[in-house]
Amino acid sequence: MDLLKQRIRTDGLILNNSLLKVDSFLNQQIDPALMLKIGEEFVNRFKGETITKILTIESSGIAVSVMTGLILKVPVIFARKRKPKVTSDDVYTAKVYSYTKGESNNIMISKQFLHQDDSVLIIDDFLANGEAAAGLADIVKQAQAKVVGIGIVIEKSFQPGAQKLAQAGYRVESLARIKSFANGQVEFL
Ligand code: G4P
Ligand code: NA
Ligand code: NA
């Protein structure tokens, strides 16, 4: 997706040769027009598939997921990383280890929002080691629903997540695929 790649080139900052800071349009300040374009692109990539729900994880996956759900006219569910005070105990959980943060979270979704007859598109902002997406896919499986595919805004292709998810049989559509951060420059695949 050229518009997104351009934006990463102009506004992205590379930290420690491995992290891309995109706080000005995705991770803190959000550019709604770009989010809508990203939603349209996800809808395009998965055209022809039956999708009944979008599943993401708080917080940065929510904006693009809502845009996608708005176009498809389907609900958007986001997994929580810690248990909210007001939630039922009837939850699906999955353990997600974050290499970036060096900690594990038990992500959770109330059982009432995912059913056996759902066809779920999983969406997230970044794909690095694939832990978050794999945890979301695991929750879909627990609900005996179907994973249609995984839509990612920015894939760091030099980390193992994309390959791991493909090997597990999931269709992964990433809108920007980063090959490397060599010489302080973002190089796309
Ligand atoms: P994984 O799910 O692919 O295994 O990724 P990892 O544990 O490494 O990522 C942990 C958090 O860091 C995730 O956000 C993920 O989106 C984010 N992340 C990973 N690599 C990058 C990067 O290069 N740049 C930025 N900006 N974020 C990255 P999170 O903790 O769930 O936070 P949020 O969704 O609330 O923003
Ligand atoms: Na995320
Ligand atoms: Na993030």
Side-chain angles (χ1 to χ4, degrees), residues 8 12-23 27 98-101 126-129 154 156 158-159 178 180-181 184-186:
I8 292 170
L13 286 173
I14 300 162
L15 304 180
N16 306 321
N17 261 321
S18 68
L19 286 175
L20 180 69
K21 195 169 155 101
V22 284
D23 277 12
N27 288 139
S98 167
Y99 291 89
T100 310
K101 293 181 173 169
F126 271 91
L127 176 57
N129 292 291
I154 302 173
K156 296 195 290 182
F158 55 88
Q159 288 183 252
I178 296 176
S180 81
F181 293 133
Q185 296 283 323
V186 180

Side-chain angles (χ1 to χ4, degrees), residues 71-134:
I71 300 164
L72 292 175
K73 300 188 173 68
V74 299
V76 175
I77 312 163
F78 63 95
R80 295 196 176 262
K81 290 173 184 160
R82 59 186 76 79
K83 198 169 169 23
K85 280 207 180 79
V86 187
T87 199
S88 74
D89 289 327
D90 222 6
V91 292
Y92 296 115
T93 66
K95 197 171 197 164
V96 170
Y97 178 75
S98 167
Y99 291 89
T100 310
K101 293 181 173 169
E103 63 180 33
S104 281
N105 284 117
N106 266 316
I107 65 168
M108 66 196 72
I109 286 282
S110 290
K111 288 187 176 172
Q112 59 177 308
F113 298 123
L114 270 184
H115 305 115
Q116 200 170 349
D117 57 357
D118 276 320
S119 296
V120 180
L121 174 60
I122 293 170
I123 287 182
D124 207 358
D125 58 339
F126 271 91
L127 176 57
N129 292 291
E131 288 281 316

Side-chain angles (χ1 to χ4, degrees), residues 26-27 30 35 42 54-68 76-78 81 123-126 151 153:
L26 185 61
N27 288 139
I30 292 175
M35 299 299 107
F42 281 138
I54 312 278
L55 176 62
T56 188
I57 180 166
E58 65 176 346
S59 57
S60 300
I62 296 175
V64 286
S65 295
V66 167
M67 294 304 187
T68 311
V76 175
I77 312 163
F78 63 95
K81 290 173 184 160
I123 287 182
D124 207 358
D125 58 339
F126 271 91
V153 181

